[in-house]
């Protein structure tokens, strides 16, 4: 049965084929044009393609096919066919306007401009079209002056022409006179509804006027004429999103992505639509995909950043938004989220600047302002913190909490106006005990003891808060240095309120001052049980741990109170472990802290210093890098990182970091001095000298400046000046390095005796300094070979198996006639570094002098083969050959 069906199908095909008439090229073109008349461009394309297949060299068929493609919006294929038609003989005048449309749609402005140059002989209507598209292309490139020039030329030829009216509308658009442009183009479309090109500028004008629904409808209408003009579909979707027609926009965006799956703009639209649905995960995913294919999409970056924030990914939110905040200066959401992320990541000062410049804050932002001001106070940014509190007070002028917070902030700066804020807070809400206590303490501080006592007595009269009165009384006695009475008051407070932290802490401090360490530790232990991260108690325990007798007690308390997530206790425990020389345990403790914790510079300094204590410089380096990622301008972290880089030999990296560091502290003498030193060390003498001059007026006495000045003058061969500065550096800091600099400069200035004297003097006090000893041995002249040998002998024991030391020792022994000893030492050197040319040379000469002629000749020839040009080598080789020849040694004949 299957076979019969197939046979029938084939037969049918032949019958149908036999019945159909084959058309000529001319008939196909006519048929295609008929389809064009009824706007059926798909059928027209089929007919014109059939004509091209029949006659590939038909210029007319190619031109007709190009026009049909152009009407569809298939600009790439239209371009191909126009190029072929031109190559086949179609006159340029017939395709100039068509090429202008194609190149404008394909964003090739330079090609459109070239068409203008070739179109002087065109008929007016065609020339107007070319000029209009050149103007449109220039405007798309934001070249307003060029665009206006082309459009004005088009209008000047015939202002009534259809394309001149389109050009006029674009001129209004360029001048931002959108309403007048819309009047012009609407008038044109009333009279010429079929001019689809006018729809594009109409859509742009509606969009510019904020009439997004009209804009999307206009672009949709254009697409009914040119369904494959996908670039216009992007304009339609964008308008729909602006018009908040999200469902319709979503359908069209999915269509775009099915055609252009990696289109950055379509992916950005999808991200916008997912964000609108609060699908932040999907929004971020599409935004990130968009940015993979189009890195400069600002909207995608905003969506990626804001979505990351709502997903809890603070670092990603900061990275994305910080990169584009300058490009969206009026986007309040971006600025607010960026400020919040900066706070959460510890960039408090930058965040404060963001908040200070924010406008349009509401009551919903009060808590954010309060929290932010607290963070700023914690790092000493008082002015910024006060700015935020003042902003919050404007939003909530009757808030007792804000008045109290402001008062406490002012208290920390010894600002007299603090009392006014605290009194206002209490007036707004008398039930603020912490504020009353703060006010009482401030009264005490300013000598107003009566007012402080009044507050204390008022509390003591209330059964529910009498303990607060005793605490205040304790503070009053402390202020008068009546420690015994203070102790009694704090103990009374504990009877009424056993968990009163202020009383426990102050009793701990009182016993600490009385050298009653165990009692002090007990009180601090109780404080930590109630307030695990009480910084005062932890600091006191770390201080107590300096006493070796009680360090085990302190450790026991810290270990008992060490709980997961207790950052400050863990840091204090690590500090005490370091004090107890348990550095490995300290590092383990610090590294175990959750990476999500709000780590501070103190953590990274402690951890880095612990690694340095174990001479693990690479590990310390990594830690300091982590710290600087959070606090780039931290003074102590920067210096530690730079010093570690120098120790590791990464001098260029140290210089690079120091330049960044100097950017934060341009007026800091120590930082500038260090920069001068590192610029010099990296041989940037001109830059170093310029910095050095800038420090002259600051009268800096930093030894590094002397070192740098010495290096600069040495480079300039001004050894007298160099010695002056190296000598000053050595006087201020008598280090090995400073001494080496001074001695070398003396040597360069031919003051060897002086150099030898200071090195000998140094070695008397520091006999293990091998670098100084090596330089001294080098300084001794040939007349002092015995002194050279003496120094090299010491060095050979201090740094055994050092080939250079053994070579130099052997050579000087050889020169003193100690041939046998020289041979022993040069053999050791050769075994260590057989490829070292200097050792080969010494070995060969010494072998010959020890009458080992054959081996000597072999070694000398090896040295010559390795590139030796030393006259001693060639002389010794000739001598050995001559001795062998004169002795008639049979081995010499081999």
């Amino acid at each position: 049965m299957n076979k019969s069906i197939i046979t029938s199908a084939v037969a049918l095909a032949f019958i149908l084929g036999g019945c159909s008439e084959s058309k000529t090229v001319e008939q196909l073109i006519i048929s295609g044009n008929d389809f064009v008349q009824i706007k059926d461009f798909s059928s027209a394309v089929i007919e014109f393609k059939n004509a091209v297949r029949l006659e590939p060299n038909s210029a007319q068929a190619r031109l007709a096919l190009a026009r049909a493609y152009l009407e569809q919006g298939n600009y790439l294929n239209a371009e191909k066919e126009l190029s072929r038609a031109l190559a086949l003989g179609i006159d340029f005048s017939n395709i100039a306007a068509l090429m202008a449309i194609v190149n404008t749609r394909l964003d090739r402005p330079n090609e459109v401009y070239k068409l203008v140059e070739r179109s002087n002989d065109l008929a007016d209507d065609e020339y107007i079209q070319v000029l209009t598209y050149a103007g449109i292309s220039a405007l798309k490139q934001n070249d307003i002056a060029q665009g206006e020039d082309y459009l004005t030329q088009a209008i000047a030829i015939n202002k009534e022409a259809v394309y001149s009216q389109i050009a006029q509308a674009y001129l209004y658009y360029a001048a931002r006179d959108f309403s007048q442009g819309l009047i012009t183009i609407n008038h044109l479309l009333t009279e010429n509804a079929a001019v689809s090109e006018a729809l594009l500028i109409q859509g742009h004008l509606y969009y510019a006027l904020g009439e997004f629904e009209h804009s999307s409808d206009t672009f949709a209408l254009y697409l009914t004429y040119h369904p494959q003009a996908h670039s216009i579909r992007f304009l339609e979707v964008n308008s729909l999103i602006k018009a908040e027609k999200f469902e319709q926009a979503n359908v069209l965006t999915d269509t775009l992505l099915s055609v252009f799956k990696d289109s950055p703009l379509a992916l950005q639209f999808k991200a916008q639509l997912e964000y609108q649905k609060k699908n932040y995960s999907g929004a971020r995913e599409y935004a990130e995909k968009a940015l993979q294919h189009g890195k400069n999409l600002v909207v995608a970056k905003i969506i990626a950043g804001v979505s990351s924030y709502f997903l809890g990914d603070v670092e990603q939110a900061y990275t994305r938004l910080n990169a584009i905040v300058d490009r969206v200066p009026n986007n309040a959401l971006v600025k607010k989220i960026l400020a919040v992320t900066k706070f959460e990541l510890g960039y408090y000062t930058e965040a404060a600047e963001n908040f200070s410049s924010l406008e349009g804050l509401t009551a919903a932002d009060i808590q954010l302002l309060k929290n932010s001001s607290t963070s700023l106070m914690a790092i000493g940014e008082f002015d910024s913190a006060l700015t935020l509190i003042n902003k919050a007070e404007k939003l909530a002028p009757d808030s007792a909490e804000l008045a109290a917070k402001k008062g406490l902030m002012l208290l920390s700066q010894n600002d007299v106006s603090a009392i006014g804020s605290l009194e206002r807070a209490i007036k707004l809400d008398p039930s603020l005990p912490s504020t009353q206590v703060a006010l009482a303490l401030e009264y005490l501080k300013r000598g107003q003891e009566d007012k402080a006592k009044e507050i204390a007595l008022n509390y003591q009269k209330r059964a529910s808060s009498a303990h607060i009165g005793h605490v205040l009384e304790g503070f009053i006695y402390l202020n008068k240095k009546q420690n015994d009475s203070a102790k009694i008051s704090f103990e009374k407070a504990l009877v009424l309120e056993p968990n009163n932290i202020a009383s426990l802490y102050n009793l701990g401090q009182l016993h600490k001052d009385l050298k009653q360490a165990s009692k002090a530790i007990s009180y601090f232990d109780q404080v930590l049980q109630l307030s695990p991260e009480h910084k005062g108690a932890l600091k006191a325990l770390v201080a107590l741990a300096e006493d070796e007798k009680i360090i085990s007690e302190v450790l026991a308390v810290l270990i008992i109170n060490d709980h997961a997530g207790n950052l400050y206790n863990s840091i204090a425990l690590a500090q005490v472990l370091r004090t107890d020389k348990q550095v490995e345990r300290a590092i383990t403790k610090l590294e175990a802290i959750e990476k999500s914790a709000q780590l501070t510079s103190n953590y990274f300094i402690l951890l880095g210093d612990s690694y340095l204590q174990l001479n693990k410089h690479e590990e310390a380096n990594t830690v300091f890098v982590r710290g600087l990622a959070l606090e780039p301008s931290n003074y102590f972290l920067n210096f530690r990182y730079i010093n570690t880089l120098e120790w590791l030999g990464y001098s260029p990296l140290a210089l690079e970091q120091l330049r960044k560091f100097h950017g934060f502290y341009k007026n800091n003498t120590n930082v500038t001095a260090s920069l001068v030193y590192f610029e010099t060390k990296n041989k940037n003498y001109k830059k170093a000298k310029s910095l050095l001059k800038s420090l002259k007026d600051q009268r800096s006495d930093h030894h590094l400046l002397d070192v740098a000045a010495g290096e600069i003058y040495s480079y300039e061969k001004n050894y007298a000046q160099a010695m002056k500065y190296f000598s000053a550096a050595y006087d201020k800091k008598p280090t090995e390095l400073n001494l080496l600099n001074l001695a070398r400069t003396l040597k360069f200035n031919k003051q060897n005796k002086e150099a030898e004297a200071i090195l000998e003097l140094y070695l008397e006090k520091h006999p293990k300094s091998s670098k100084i000893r090596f330089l001294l041995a080098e300084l001794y002249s040939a007349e002092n070979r015995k002194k050279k040998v003496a120094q090299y002998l010491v060095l050979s024991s201090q740094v055994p198996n050092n080939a250079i030391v053994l070579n130099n020792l052997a050579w000087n022994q050889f020169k003193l006639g100690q041939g046998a000893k020289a041979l022993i030492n040069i053999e050791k050197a050769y075994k260590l570094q057989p490829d070292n040319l200097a050792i080969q040379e010494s070995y060969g000469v010494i072998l010959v002098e020890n009458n080992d002629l054959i081996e000597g000749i072999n070694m000398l020839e090896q040295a010559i083969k390795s590139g030796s040009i030393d006259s001693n080598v060639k002389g010794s080789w000739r001598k050995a050959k001559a001795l062998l020849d004169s002795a008639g040694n049979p081995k010499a004949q081999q």
Side-chain angles (χ1 to χ4, degrees):
M1 183 178 286
N2 288 339
K3 190 171 183 180
S4 173
I5 291 171
I6 292 171
T7 304
S8 301
V10 171
L12 181 62
F14 275 118
I15 291 167
L16 290 173
C19 293
S20 65
E21 290 185 20
S22 59
K23 296 179 182 178
T24 64
V25 171
E26 291 75 14
Q27 289 172 324
L28 287 167
I29 292 174
I30 292 169
S31 175
N33 286 330
D34 289 340
F35 284 120
V36 167
Q37 292 299 314
I38 60 172
K39 308 294 184 186
D40 184 357
F41 297 111
S42 296
S43 298
V45 164
I46 292 170
E47 295 293 85
F48 294 140
K49 284 174 76 173
N50 285 332
V52 166
R53 286 194 192 97
L54 283 177
E55 195 173 323
N57 293 328
S58 169
Q60 290 299 328
R62 295 282 184 188
L63 179 58
L65 180 56
R67 290 179 183 276
Y69 278 139
L70 191 60
E71 290 295 337
Q72 282 186 314
N74 189 337
Y75 303 115
L76 285 172
N77 281 340
E79 180 196 29
K80 291 176 186 175
E81 295 305 327
L82 286 171
S83 297
R84 288 166 182 163
L86 187 63
L88 291 169
I90 284 290
D91 190 83
F92 172 73
S93 63
N94 292 328
I95 66 165
L98 302 177
M99 289 295 287
I101 298 172
V102 167
N103 284 312
T104 299
R105 296 288 182 265
L106 294 176
D107 288 325
R108 296 172 182 167
N110 291 332
E111 296 301 316
V112 186
Y113 304 156
K114 289 176 185 176
L115 289 171
V116 174
E117 293 171 8
R118 296 179 59 190
S119 299
N120 290 327
D121 297 331
L122 291 181
D124 284 354
D125 281 350
E126 282 74 20
Y127 189 41
I128 289 170
Q129 280 191 56
V130 174
L131 285 168
T132 299
Y133 282 114
I136 294 169
S137 294
L139 293 183
K140 285 173 76 176
Q141 300 301 309
N142 209 30
D143 189 348
I144 307 300
Q146 180 70 72
E148 289 177 339
D149 181 48
Y150 283 131
L151 296 170
T152 303
Q153 288 183 55
I155 296 166
I157 296 171
N158 178 6
K159 68 178 182 179
E160 301 300 326
V162 169
Y163 271 88
S164 291
Q165 293 179 63
I166 292 173
Q168 183 62 65
Y170 272 104
L171 273 179
Y172 283 127
Y173 182 83
R176 305 189 64 78
D177 190 352
F178 306 125
S179 298
Q180 191 59 49
L182 199 56
I183 292 170
T184 300
I185 210 67
N186 287 347
H187 176 73
L188 172 63
L189 285 168
T190 301
E191 296 183 352
N192 296 277
V195 183
S196 62
E197 186 62 45
L199 293 171
L200 286 183
I201 182 59
Q202 186 186 47
H204 288 307
L205 288 163
Y206 276 133
Y207 187 92
L209 288 166
E211 297 184 33
F212 303 118
E213 194 168 341
H214 283 315
S215 176
S216 64
D217 290 343
T218 303
F219 290 132
L221 179 58
Y222 179 89
L223 286 162
T224 61
Y225 292 111
H226 312 288
Q228 292 183 32
H230 297 296
S231 60
I232 310 305
R233 182 75 67 198
F234 286 95
L235 299 174
E236 181 188 7
V237 172
N238 192 36
S239 297
L240 286 168
I241 291 173
K242 290 286 187 181
E244 298 186 1
K245 290 189 167 185
F246 300 118
E247 289 186 16
Q248 194 176 341
N250 197 43
V251 171
L252 293 179
T253 300
D254 288 341
T255 301
L256 283 173
L257 285 171
S258 68
V259 179
F260 312 106
K261 68 174 183 176
D262 293 329
S263 164
L265 198 53
L267 289 165
Q268 178 174 276
F269 290 151
K270 193 67 177 175
Q272 288 177 266
L273 293 163
E274 293 303 313
Y275 179 83
Q276 183 273 329
K277 292 190 286 187
K278 297 186 178 179
N279 176 12
Y280 300 121
S281 178
R284 181 168 72 171
E285 182 183 348
Y286 281 111
E288 293 293 352
K289 283 182 181 177
L291 291 168
Q292 287 175 16
H293 301 287
K295 294 180 180 179
N296 293 319
L297 296 173
V298 175
V299 173
K301 288 181 179 180
I302 292 173
I303 292 171
V306 175
S307 297
S308 293
Y309 175 74
F310 288 128
L311 290 168
D313 190 344
V314 178
E315 288 191 21
Q316 180 69 358
Y318 170 77
T319 301
R320 281 297 184 203
L321 298 180
N322 196 49
I324 50 92
V325 66
D326 292 337
R327 296 171 67 183
V328 287
N330 299 318
N331 192 313
L333 178 62
V334 168
K335 291 179 76 174
K336 188 187 294 186
I337 289 178
L338 189 57
V340 173
T341 59
K342 284 179 178 178
F343 267 111
E344 292 188 25
L345 293 173
Y347 307 143
Y348 302 123
T349 306
E350 291 180 46
E353 291 172 4
N354 284 142
F355 269 126
S356 297
S357 64
L358 276 179
E359 300 297 332
L361 293 173
T362 66
D365 298 306
I366 290 174
Q367 191 60 45
L368 183 60
L369 292 168
K370 283 178 3 190
N371 294 342
S372 302
S373 67
T374 301
S375 299
L376 285 167
M377 284 298 294
I379 61 164
E381 290 287 341
F382 171 74
D383 290 339
S384 298
L386 187 60
T387 299
L388 297 191
I389 281 296
N390 286 335
K391 271 184 175 282
E393 273 203 308
K394 285 181 181 177
L395 296 170
D398 295 327
S399 169
E401 186 185 354
L402 286 174
K405 190 174 186 67
K406 181 176 178 178
L408 293 171
M409 286 170 58
L410 292 166
L411 275 183
S412 69
Q413 303 300 305
N414 295 316
D415 191 319
V416 180
S417 64
I419 291 179
S421 289
L422 294 173
E423 288 175 339
R424 192 167 75 85
I426 291 168
K427 186 177 180 181
L428 289 165
D429 183 0
S431 65
L432 291 173
S434 60
T435 307
Q436 298 238 26
V437 171
L439 184 57
L441 293 175
E442 187 61 17
Y443 284 145
L444 275 178
K445 188 175 179 182
R446 302 194 182 280
Q448 297 173 288
E449 188 177 306
D450 290 342
K451 288 187 176 182
K453 278 184 178 179
E454 186 182 339
I455 294 174
L457 287 170
N458 285 336
Y459 273 113
Q460 287 178 7
K461 290 174 185 177
R462 304 177 207 160
S464 62
S465 56
H467 65 283
I468 296 174
H470 290 300
V471 172
L472 281 175
E473 186 180 60
F475 288 138
I476 292 168
Y477 284 128
L478 283 177
N479 189 59
K480 294 157 67 174
K481 296 190 173 15
Q482 296 176 5
N483 290 355
D484 291 339
S485 296
K487 181 170 168 291
I488 292 168
S489 294
F490 290 131
E491 287 171 346
K492 283 181 182 179
L494 286 177
V495 170
L496 298 170
E497 178 61 48
N499 291 334
N500 184 265
I501 292 172
S503 297
L504 290 167
Y505 173 68
N506 280 284
L507 285 168
Q509 288 287 18
L510 285 167
H511 286 293
K512 177 173 171 281
D513 293 341
L514 292 168
K515 308 296 182 189
Q516 296 171 349
S518 293
K519 283 189 176 181
I521 291 169
S522 173
Y523 278 115
F524 293 137
D525 182 13
Q526 292 177 70
V527 171
L528 292 177
Q529 289 177 39
L530 296 166
S531 178
E533 297 200 348
H534 193 288
K535 294 179 183 177
L538 290 168
K539 187 177 179 181
L541 286 168
V542 170
L544 284 166
E546 296 295 328
D547 186 345
E548 291 182 9
K549 296 174 185 175
I550 59 169
I551 195 169
S552 58
E553 286 184 63
V554 175
L555 275 172
V557 169
L558 290 172
I559 289 168
I560 288 170
N561 288 286
D562 184 35
H563 307 295
N566 191 334
L567 174 63
Y568 295 108
N569 192 299
S570 296
I571 291 174
L573 175 55
Q575 282 180 285
V576 176
L577 285 168
R578 272 192 73 202
T579 304
D580 198 35
K581 298 182 175 55
Q582 299 185 56
V583 185
E584 292 280 7
R585 278 189 67 191
I587 290 172
T588 301
K589 182 77 243 171
L590 291 168
E591 290 285 19
I593 291 173
E594 291 286 339
K595 302 301 181 210
S596 59
Q598 293 293 314
L599 301 176
T600 64
S601 58
N602 288 336
Y603 166 83
F604 294 105
I605 288 169
L606 178 61
L607 180 55
D609 286 351
S610 299
Y611 277 121
L612 290 177
Q613 198 170 338
L614 297 175
N615 287 320
K616 294 185 175 182
H617 290 77
E618 287 286 3
E619 290 84 347
N621 190 55
T622 302
V623 170
F624 295 140
V625 168
R626 285 169 55 201
L628 286 168
L630 292 179
E631 296 185 42
S633 63
N634 186 276
Y635 188 86
F636 301 104
L637 272 174
N638 268 287
F639 262 125
R640 279 170 167 79
Y641 177 48
I642 290 160
N643 289 337
T644 307
L645 286 171
E646 183 185 23
W647 193 95
L648 290 166
Y650 303 148
S651 191
L653 279 178
L655 175 58
E656 182 183 338
Q657 183 62 27
L658 197 42
R659 284 172 176 167
K660 292 179 188 174
F661 186 27
H662 188 248
F664 297 119
Y665 298 94
K666 287 185 177 176
N667 297 319
N668 186 292
T669 304
N670 286 337
V671 178
T672 308
S674 298
L675 180 57
V676 172
Y677 170 74
F678 273 95
E679 292 286 5
T680 306
K681 190 169 184 177
N682 284 271
K683 304 191 187 312
N684 300 324
Y685 298 112
K686 188 175 180 181
K687 177 71 173 174
K689 198 168 185 179
S690 173
L691 285 165
L692 202 58
K693 285 179 182 176
S694 72
L695 282 172
K696 267 189 175 181
D697 297 335
Q698 298 182 33
R699 298 181 182 177
S700 174
D701 200 31
H702 203 294
H703 83 283
L704 286 181
L705 291 177
D706 293 317
V707 173
E711 290 276 0
I712 293 166
Y713 284 117
S714 289
Y715 170 73
E716 295 174 349
K717 294 186 170 52
N718 187 343
Y719 298 120
Q721 282 291 94
M723 280 188 296
K724 172 186 166 184
Y725 283 103
F726 282 139
S727 181
Y730 183 63
D731 288 342
K732 291 170 190 171
K733 204 164 185 179
T735 63
E736 190 178 85
L737 178 60
N738 286 338
L739 178 59
L740 286 169
N741 285 330
L742 177 57
R744 286 192 184 111
T745 309
L746 286 165
K747 177 186 175 184
F748 294 146
N749 205 41
K750 303 191 184 332
Q751 293 178 254
N752 284 39
K753 291 296 180 185
E754 289 85 344
E756 291 168 16
I758 60 170
L759 294 177
E760 287 169 347
L761 187 62
Y762 185 87
L763 283 173
E764 287 178 14
K765 297 177 181 178
H766 308 90
K768 293 182 179 179
S769 178
S770 56
K771 287 182 181 177
I772 298 296
R773 195 174 296 280
F774 195 92
L775 179 58
L776 179 58
E778 287 294 294
L779 279 172
Y780 286 135
S781 65
E783 290 76 27
N784 283 324
R785 285 197 191 277
K786 287 184 179 180
K787 286 186 176 183
K788 280 179 175 285
V789 168
Q791 296 301 335
Y792 283 127
L793 282 170
V794 176
L795 280 169
S796 67
S797 63
Q798 286 182 342
V799 281
N801 298 322
N802 184 297
I804 303 302
V805 169
L806 290 167
N807 176 72
N808 293 357
L809 172 60
W811 184 256
N812 283 287
Q813 286 173 327
F814 157 69
K815 285 292 187 179
L816 288 172
Q818 300 171 8
K821 290 179 180 178
L823 187 58
I824 292 169
N825 287 313
I826 197 62
E827 283 175 348
K828 289 179 184 177
Y830 182 73
K831 284 178 182 176
L832 290 167
Q833 290 188 16
D835 295 327
N836 186 302
L837 177 58
I839 292 173
Q840 292 172 0
E841 291 172 338
S842 300
Y843 196 10
V845 172
I846 293 169
L847 281 166
V848 170
E849 291 302 318
N850 276 274
N851 212 30
D852 193 342
L853 302 178
I854 299 295
E855 288 299 320
I857 288 171
N858 290 338
M859 186 57 61
L860 292 168
E861 288 178 346
Q862 183 180 339
I864 292 166
K865 188 177 179 181
S866 298
S868 175
I869 56 173
D870 191 288
S871 58
N872 288 319
V873 171
K874 292 186 177 178
S876 190
W877 178 81
R878 284 194 292 270
K879 177 182 175 182
K881 293 288 281 185
L883 287 170
L884 279 175
D885 291 342
S886 64
N889 193 324
K891 288 184 180 179
Q893 311 301 322
Q894 294 177 1

